[in-house]
Amino acid sequence: SQQGEEDPQALSIQEGENATMNCSYKTSINNLQWYRQNSGRGLVHLILIRSNEREKHSGRLRVTLDTSKKSSSLLITASRAADTASYFCATEPSGNTPLVFGKGTRLSVIA
Amino acid sequence: EAQVTQNPRYLITVTGKKLTVTCSQNMNHEYMSWYRQDPGLGLRQIYYSMNVEVTDKGDVPEGYKVSRKEKRNFPLILESPSPNQTSLYFCASKFLSLGTSGGVQETQYFGPGTRLLVL
């Protein structure tokens, strides 16, 4: 079964609002990564958080990781219409195994 | 033609003399990385970059620096080369796409290699 599961599956917000997406996983990980994918395009890496980190920031992005709950959240602040995309979390399980992606959250930011 | 280019292809230098190996790709890939290949050790990742201004250490980052100011270029910098950095260096870029089963399909493109000798 898939390692990462995003929640919600779809999210629609107004421009300027914050968007929060959650990800849960099942096994031990080396790190967790968030990606964005615009329709018809490849994956774009957003941020990586290691298993020994609890919070990380990158511009308008804030990621948290709770390894005790095996969950992560991605917060996009002051959203823009250009943030409209699908967002995926991906885990790198321990043991140098390949990344495993969740099904994604489809975010729509309405101007 | 899709390609990854590296320069120089061959370099002989002396200990302590700073050098830069350039890497450029024309495929608009977000992900780029540097490897070194040594006899009996295979390819070992030095640094990688998931996107512009995003870089991270690989397995053997000591003695190396990288920068990613623009998507197409990913130079490898040796501030003070030492003889143990004599090696064959490869730059690579790859495209990630999500497969239908949730896994990631990767297509990685390697440059032609740079053979470095540090005296």
Side-chain angles (χ1 to χ4, degrees):
Chain A
S1 60
Q2 288 186 335
Q3 175 78 305
E5 294 286 340
E6 291 90 344
D7 168 58
Q9 291 186 343
L11 179 62
S12 184
I13 59 174
Q14 296 288 327
E15 203 167 29
E17 293 180 339
N18 296 342
T20 300
M21 289 159 271
N22 302 299
C23 171
S24 61
Y25 58 92
K26 296 175 183 173
T27 64
S28 298
I29 60 171
N30 286 331
N31 62 69
L32 185 144
Q33 305 170 30
W34 284 92
Y35 288 80
R36 182 185 73 225
Q37 185 176 40
N38 291 87
S39 179
R41 305 290 297 276
L43 292 165
V44 174
H45 177 263
L46 295 176
I47 197 165
L48 179 151
I49 185 164
R50 300 186 191 281
S51 60
N52 62 353
E53 297 176 307
R54 292 296 166 258
E55 187 172 313
K56 205 162 182 180
H57 297 255
S58 178
R60 293 185 294 113
L61 305 179
R62 173 175 167 260
V63 169
T64 63
L65 179 64
D66 188 335
T67 52
S68 66
K69 295 180 180 177
K70 292 186 169 56
S71 67
S72 172
S73 67
L74 170 68
L75 169 67
I76 303 174
T77 60
S79 63
R80 305 167 182 168
D83 294 330
T84 295
S86 293
Y87 292 82
F88 297 88
C89 73
T91 51
E92 183 180 299
S94 303
N96 199 29
T97 50
L99 286 177
V100 180
F101 282 72
K103 295 177 183 176
T105 293
R106 186 175 300 278
L107 174 66
S108 298
V109 181
I110 302 167
Chain B
E1 179 190 353
Q3 60 181 352
V4 179
T5 57
Q6 295 177 225
N7 281 291
R9 294 289 312 279
Y10 304 91
L11 180 61
I12 301 174
T13 189
V14 296
T15 298
K17 186 176 181 181
K18 181 180 178 180
L19 67 92
T20 299
V21 184
T22 64
C23 173
S24 183
Q25 50 96 0
N26 63 359
M27 294 165 281
N28 205 34
H29 289 170
E30 278 86 18
Y31 186 102
M32 297 184 73
S33 59
W34 275 102
Y35 297 85
R36 61 177 290 174
Q37 186 175 35
D38 303 287
L41 296 176
L43 281 172
R44 293 180 293 168
Q45 191 177 60
I46 303 170
Y47 267 94
Y48 63 95
S49 170
M50 294 274 200
N51 211 332
V52 175
E53 299 293 0
V54 179
T55 63
D56 214 340
K57 296 177 181 178
D59 298 320
V60 288
E62 292 78 20
Y64 303 95
K65 284 175 59 177
V66 292
S67 70
R68 189 85 184 275
K69 291 182 168 38
E70 48 190 340
K71 188 181 279 189
R72 65 181 294 120
N73 296 321
F74 189 44
L76 178 69
I77 302 157
L78 284 73
E79 294 273 5
S80 183
S82 61
N84 65 11
Q85 291 179 299
T86 292
S87 185
L88 178 58
Y89 291 87
F90 289 98
C91 178
S93 73
K94 71 180 177 184
F95 174 72
L96 302 178
S97 64
L98 201 62
T100 54
S101 61
V104 175
Q105 295 175 339
E106 303 179 355
T107 304
Q108 184 149 233
Y109 298 81
F110 282 85
T114 294
R115 191 168 291 279
L116 172 66
L117 172 61
V118 183
L119 300 172

